Amino acid sequence: MAELAGLEDPKAREVNERHGDDHGVNLGKLRALAKRLKTQQELARRLWETEDTAAKLLATLICRPKAFERDELDTMLRTARTPKVQDWLVNYVVKKSPHCEELRQAWFTDPDPVVASAGWALTTERVAKKPEGLDPAGLLDIIEADMKDAPDRLQWAMNHCLAQIGIDHPEHRTRAIDIGERLQVLKDYPTSPGCTSPFAPVWISEMVRRRHDKPGA
């Protein structure tokens, strides 16, 4: 904890707080610390039990994902508190857990929009990597009905799923683009030069273009 406190940078905290993350540790330095510590499950648990965001982030990097029980991961998500911690927990821990699919299904319909957003993030992963058993048309039905008025984090996750369906499933691409055009979600989101807009029609078209432009595509 003392070492994490020593990595605190007021300017980094100012930037992070704009995104809802209450820490000021440079993530590159945090990853370097995790690399030095290597896997330490008990230390990871103790770090997670603190109320410190940087400590929780470090915990996701040094833990053993398969060592957590299903209910433990559910509780961790509900107490993660900040967007970055929730994101790292889902991507670095839950996705590597044997309980991933069970949690995906449970979280997908959770009344808490932040928990539901984790369910959608895991669903997007399956759309891209393991679509067998999913119903893309049914997912598009839900997105079409609910995304426009969804809370920010849930809306972002649903929009990512919309784009992923359009990118990876040509048979649903026209409908995915049409839904994005009609709902206009994230159309005016500020995008840095060289980055792709999160507006689904633009995102889908750009990623499909890149795939076609690859040698051998």
Side-chain angles (χ1 to χ4, degrees):
M1 293 302 294
E3 190 164 354
L4 284 172
L7 294 175
E8 178 78 15
D9 178 349
K11 289 184 179 178
R13 177 175 284 274
E14 185 181 337
V15 172
N16 289 332
E17 284 184 342
R18 289 189 212 132
H19 300 98
D21 294 309
D22 56 349
H23 76 93
V25 178
N26 176 281
L27 297 183
K29 292 179 179 178
L30 190 76
R31 291 180 188 279
L33 175 57
K35 191 173 182 180
R36 196 182 82 226
L37 291 170
K38 299 180 180 174
T39 302
Q40 295 192 46
Q41 180 67 6
E42 288 313 307
L43 176 58
R45 287 182 190 276
R46 290 170 64 194
L47 288 168
W48 187 270
E49 288 168 1
T50 72
E51 289 303 306
D52 185 84
T53 292
K56 287 180 181 288
L57 290 172
L58 181 60
T60 68
L61 298 176
I62 66 169
C63 71
R64 189 175 293 109
K66 293 180 181 178
F68 292 109
E69 297 296 331
R70 177 224 182 271
D71 289 348
E72 191 174 11
L73 290 170
D74 182 73
T75 299
M76 289 169 74
L77 180 71
R78 294 174 192 278
T79 58
R81 290 179 46 249
T82 66
K84 183 66 72 177
V85 174
Q86 291 154 357
D87 182 54
W88 282 24
L89 177 66
V90 169
N91 285 291
Y92 300 156
V93 184
V94 178
K95 284 182 181 179
K96 299 175 183 177
S97 164
H99 309 294
C100 179
E101 177 59 17
E102 185 182 351
L103 288 169
R104 181 191 76 81
Q105 293 182 38
W107 290 344
F108 188 80
T109 56
D110 196 276
D112 182 331
V114 172
V115 175
S117 73
W120 276 91
L122 294 173
T123 300
T124 300
E125 178 86 352
R126 275 203 56 190
V127 166
K129 297 182 178 178
K130 194 179 177 183
E132 297 80 11
L134 286 181
D135 176 15
L139 290 172
L140 290 177
D141 288 343
I142 299 171
I143 291 167
E144 188 170 23
D146 299 341
M147 183 172 74
K148 181 77 171 177
D149 299 317
D152 287 351
R153 296 212 65 210
L154 179 55
Q155 184 185 71
W156 187 275
M158 294 174 84
N159 183 71
H160 189 176
C161 191
L162 172 66
Q164 205 69 52
I165 291 171
I167 292 164
D168 289 324
H169 298 271
E171 68 276 22
H172 297 289
R173 187 170 296 152
T174 298
R175 185 183 175 201
I177 291 173
D178 178 65
I179 290 171
E181 291 285 6
R182 282 188 289 106
L183 298 186
Q184 298 284 290
V185 168
L186 299 176
K187 182 176 183 181
D188 298 321
Y189 191 84
T191 305
S192 302
C195 296
T196 303
S197 168
F199 180 47
V202 174
W203 190 354
I204 293 167
S205 299
E206 176 60 17
M207 296 309 294
V208 170
R209 182 192 67 76
R210 288 185 195 178
R211 288 185 182 182
H212 286 166
D213 288 349
K214 276 186 180 179

